[in-house]
Amino acid sequence: MEKQILSEEFRRMQKLAGIITESYYISEDDFKNSPDEDSPGNKQLIVFKEDDDYEVQGNTHGELSHAIKHYGEFNPNDLNSKLNSAIDYIKSTPNPILKSREGSVIASGDNAKKQLTPNAVLNTFDFINDKILNNQNLNPEEEEIKTKFLDELNDSYNKLVQDYISDASNIDGMGEDEIKKLIDSKKKISFKGNYKGRDNEYILDPSTTGLLAKQGNNIFTLFRIDKKGNDLNKVGTYFSRGVEVSNSGLKNILNIQV
């Protein structure tokens, strides 16, 4: 169920970004923020102040970080469209600065505009998200990028998450034959597993190998195991790395060796 509420977190994010809206639709299921781990694209990003540098700090690996990193696995054409639109916007700004993740200036102004890449834009998205969650003010260009592109990307990914949660059939107590029918018909299934002593719920879409992991209302991630296909052998290999799946029938179907 979704609630039409404007949470304090969203109020804070809106204030930082200078955005005012009437309401947000947010789910009772929220992403669990964790420390930032990596960059989604290459090692370049666009900033609009020369003293801005990318620093990995704080619990900034949350819903938007997952959207930046994984949405394109599900809808690459839509992500590319958003990235190309963002590139067009950045080219319209007076003096974008292309920097390395280490902080050195690669190019600025027109030279930077000629070298813009989708991966650099992905890192820029992640940089803006980090600034928001670390209570740092956005400059006007970053506010515009958030309003025009990041909010839309986040909404698209969140809709995908909610589709997984609402469409999945729970297989607790089901036998192997019944589970196999669901998988063969490409139905999303939900099941329990234990990872490093933590009981989680997993939702698998066998048509894409998309996998959502959650614990209660805390969502950890949604991504594709097989990035370009639907090889269920890769799903079995993934879970065999340390997830103890509860349903023995599913373990047999996917050949999970745990």
Side-chain angles (χ1 to χ4, degrees):
M1 180 183 295
E2 291 183 333
K3 296 179 179 179
Q4 189 178 13
I5 60 175
L6 189 60
S7 70
E8 291 302 316
E9 175 65 9
F10 274 91
R11 289 182 189 277
R12 183 177 65 79
M13 291 174 69
Q14 288 175 314
K15 183 177 180 181
L16 286 171
I19 300 169
I20 299 175
T21 60
E22 293 181 3
S23 61
Y24 277 85
Y25 283 92
I26 62 176
S27 170
E28 292 176 336
D29 300 280
D30 293 319
F31 268 78
K32 181 177 177 61
N33 285 356
S34 60
D36 202 1
E37 297 173 345
D38 56 7
S39 57
N42 61 12
K43 294 181 182 277
Q44 298 178 355
L45 72 153
I46 300 102
V47 298
F48 300 93
K49 290 171 55 182
E50 192 166 335
D51 59 353
D52 270 344
D53 290 316
Y54 196 112
E55 296 181 8
V56 176
Q57 58 179 323
N59 290 333
T60 60
H61 195 63
E63 180 175 16
L64 184 52
S65 288
H66 286 276
I68 292 167
K69 187 173 183 179
H70 297 302
Y71 180 68
E73 297 167 6
F74 297 92
N75 293 300
N77 291 337
D78 188 39
L79 178 64
N80 287 335
S81 176
K82 289 176 170 57
L83 294 176
N84 286 329
S85 295
I87 286 174
D88 288 340
Y89 166 72
I90 293 169
K91 286 181 177 179
S92 74
T93 63
N95 190 38
I97 302 165
L98 186 65
K99 299 187 79 171
S100 70
R101 284 288 302 270
E102 290 73 31
S104 61
V105 174
I106 298 170
S108 61
D110 288 341
N111 286 333
K113 295 175 185 182
K114 294 175 184 177
Q115 299 180 51
L116 294 177
T117 65
N119 279 339
V121 174
L122 282 174
N123 273 342
T124 304
F125 285 177
D126 200 46
F127 174 63
I128 293 170
N129 173 62
D130 288 0
K131 288 183 74 172
I132 292 170
L133 294 182
N134 285 324
N135 295 314
Q136 298 172 9
N137 291 324
L138 303 183
N139 60 47
E141 293 88 350
E142 291 166 342
E143 291 174 359
E144 192 76 1
I145 289 172
K146 182 185 185 302
T147 303
K148 285 186 173 181
F149 310 111
L150 286 184
D151 287 347
E152 184 179 334
L153 175 60
N154 197 58
D155 288 346
S156 297
Y157 185 69
N158 185 58
K159 183 179 183 303
L160 194 62
V161 167
Q162 298 310 319
D163 286 346
Y164 268 66
I165 293 171
S166 62
D167 292 348
S169 298
N170 190 299
I171 63 168
D172 288 346
M174 286 188 186
E176 186 171 335
D177 290 342
E178 194 173 0
I179 296 170
K180 191 172 188 307
K181 288 179 182 178
L182 289 173
I183 291 176
D184 289 344
S185 61
K186 309 301 183 185
K187 301 292 187 183
K188 297 182 182 72
I189 58 173
S190 68
F191 52 93
K192 290 181 173 59
N194 185 283
Y195 179 67
K196 293 185 177 180
R198 184 179 68 202
D199 292 326
N200 294 333
E201 178 186 353
Y202 296 93
I203 300 175
L204 173 69
D205 181 354
S207 70
T208 63
T209 73
L211 183 71
L212 184 145
K214 67 194 292 281
Q215 184 183 55
N217 292 332
N218 288 325
I219 299 167
F220 297 112
T221 190
L222 170 62
F223 71 104
R224 280 182 71 166
I225 295 173
D226 184 354
K227 305 302 182 187
K228 296 183 179 180
N230 61 346
D231 187 349
L232 293 180
N233 290 322
K234 293 182 179 181
V235 177
T237 299
Y238 173 85
F239 280 100
S240 295
R241 292 172 185 162
V243 180
E244 297 180 12
V245 172
S246 301
N247 190 293
S248 59
L250 181 63
K251 290 178 68 172
N252 290 336
I253 294 169
L254 297 178
N255 193 29
I256 299 171
Q257 304 297 314
V258 177

